[in-house]
């Protein structure tokens, strides 16, 4: 492994990794320990779990995941069936953004998250429940394969509740959804939130991309989107 910090239990769901007041300019892996806690730290890249069977509980607070800490790839990749809480934390300048895959956490809570200048959205490729509170998604430009939204990709039957959050100047690179895309049986409720200046790249806009703030794409699954007390403002200039 190329990890600078690596932990794992002898059995799945045993042991604890706790990182406090540290700066790690490399890959950090929690493995499949019972508890991964990170606070008051700056880290380049984090991996939790490595398959679909991890039960790690994750708590991240007052920390910064920043792709400018080193030239290596940067992301927060979480693969656990345990509960995930990320609060008062910034994820910025990363290549891979915040990704939930392989395993479905019992609950994901993003509280006062600042998600800035990332090249991939917060993505859920598992049927997890996600609550977003008082968070900011700003200036994210999707660079994921086959294009996608800048801020959030809700897919694979995930269930999202978003409250009092802002989505500012995000750019999508797919054919639908500049800031947010809801698809593949996902459900999303957005309440008391603001969308401003979200758009598409020139390449995505040319063939007629739609939904600069929020894109909705249904299929055989039941995909749903609810907006209440939401403000949407157009960007100052549209791509041409």
């Amino acid at each position: 492994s190329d990890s600078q910090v690596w932990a794992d239990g002898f059995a799945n769901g045993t042991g604890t990794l706790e990182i406090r007041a540290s700066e790690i300019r490399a890959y950090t892996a929690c493995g499949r320990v019972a508890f991964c806690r990170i606070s008051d730290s700056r880290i380049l890249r984090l991996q939790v779990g490595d398959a679909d069977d991890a039960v790690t509980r994750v708590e991240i607070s007052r920390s910064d995941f920043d792709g400018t800490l080193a030239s290596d790839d940067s992301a927060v990749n979480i693969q656990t069936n345990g509960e995930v809480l990320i609060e008062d934390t910034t994820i910025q300048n990363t290549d891979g953004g915040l990704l939930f895959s392989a395993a479905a956490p019992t609950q994901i809570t993003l509280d006062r998250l600042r998600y800035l200048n990332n090249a991939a959205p917060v993505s859920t490729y598992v049927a997890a429940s996600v609550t977003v509170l008082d968070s900011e998604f700003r200036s994210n430009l999707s660079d994921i394969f086959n294009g996608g939204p800048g801020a959030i990709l809700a897919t694979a039957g995930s269930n999202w509740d978003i409250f009092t959050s802002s989505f500012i100047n995000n750019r999508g690179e797919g054919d639908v959804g500049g800031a947010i895309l809801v698809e593949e049986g996902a459900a999303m409720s957005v309440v008391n939130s603001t969308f401003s200046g979200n758009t598409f790249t020139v390449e995505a806009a040319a063939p007629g991309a739609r939904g600069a703030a929020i894109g909705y794409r249904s299929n055989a699954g039941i995909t749903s989107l609810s907006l209440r007390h939401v403000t949407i403002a157009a960007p100052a200039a549209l791509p041409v």
Side-chain angles (χ1 to χ4, degrees):
S1 172
D2 61 351
S3 304
Q4 294 296 316
V5 176
W6 181 84
D8 205 351
F10 290 107
N12 186 16
T14 62
T16 296
L17 174 64
E18 182 166 2
I19 299 172
R20 293 183 290 176
S22 300
E23 182 169 297
I24 304 172
R25 300 176 175 237
Y27 182 30
T28 301
C30 283
R32 299 183 300 161
V33 297
F35 195 15
C36 178
R37 177 187 288 150
I38 299 171
S39 60
D40 303 298
S41 296
R42 300 186 71 210
I43 296 175
L44 175 71
R45 181 177 177 181
L46 175 67
Q47 175 76 37
V48 179
D50 56 10
D52 62 0
D53 62 345
V55 293
T56 306
R57 177 183 172 89
V58 180
E59 290 187 5
I60 300 171
S61 60
R62 302 179 305 279
S63 294
D64 184 4
F65 296 87
D66 192 343
T68 66
L69 286 174
S71 59
D72 294 336
D73 291 341
S74 53
V76 179
N77 189 2
I78 298 178
Q79 300 174 321
T80 181
N81 295 293
E83 186 175 352
V84 177
L85 170 62
I86 301 176
E87 60 182 351
D88 296 309
T89 288
T90 299
I91 298 175
Q92 60 185 333
N93 308 308
T94 68
D95 305 298
L98 173 58
L99 172 66
F100 296 92
S101 64
T106 53
Q107 172 65 39
I108 300 167
T109 302
L110 309 178
D111 191 358
R112 298 180 300 279
L113 171 69
R114 299 183 72 234
Y115 197 76
L116 314 173
N117 299 303
N118 296 288
V122 178
S123 302
T124 50
Y125 291 98
V126 289
S129 293
V130 186
T131 300
V132 181
L133 304 165
D134 302 321
S135 295
E136 176 186 4
F137 299 79
R138 183 184 293 271
S139 301
N140 300 289
L141 171 58
S142 175
D143 192 28
I144 61 177
F145 180 71
N146 286 335
I152 290 176
L153 173 59
T155 187
S158 54
N159 189 352
W160 291 71
D161 291 298
I162 300 174
F163 302 95
T164 55
S165 295
S166 60
F167 298 81
I168 312 296
N169 298 335
N170 300 286
R171 283 193 293 167
E173 201 172 35
D175 59 0
V176 60
I180 292 177
L181 173 58
V182 186
E183 65 174 4
E184 300 290 339
M188 179 176 287
S189 172
V190 185
V191 180
N192 293 333
S193 296
T194 299
F195 294 78
S196 178
N198 300 289
T199 187
F200 294 99
T201 62
V202 172
E203 294 77 11
R210 294 291 183 267
I214 305 175
Y216 170 94
R217 184 160 55 198
S218 190
N219 61 357
I222 299 175
T223 304
S224 66
L225 173 64
S226 171
L227 306 178
R228 290 184 291 157
H229 306 293
V230 169
T231 299
I232 299 178
L238 296 176
V240 295

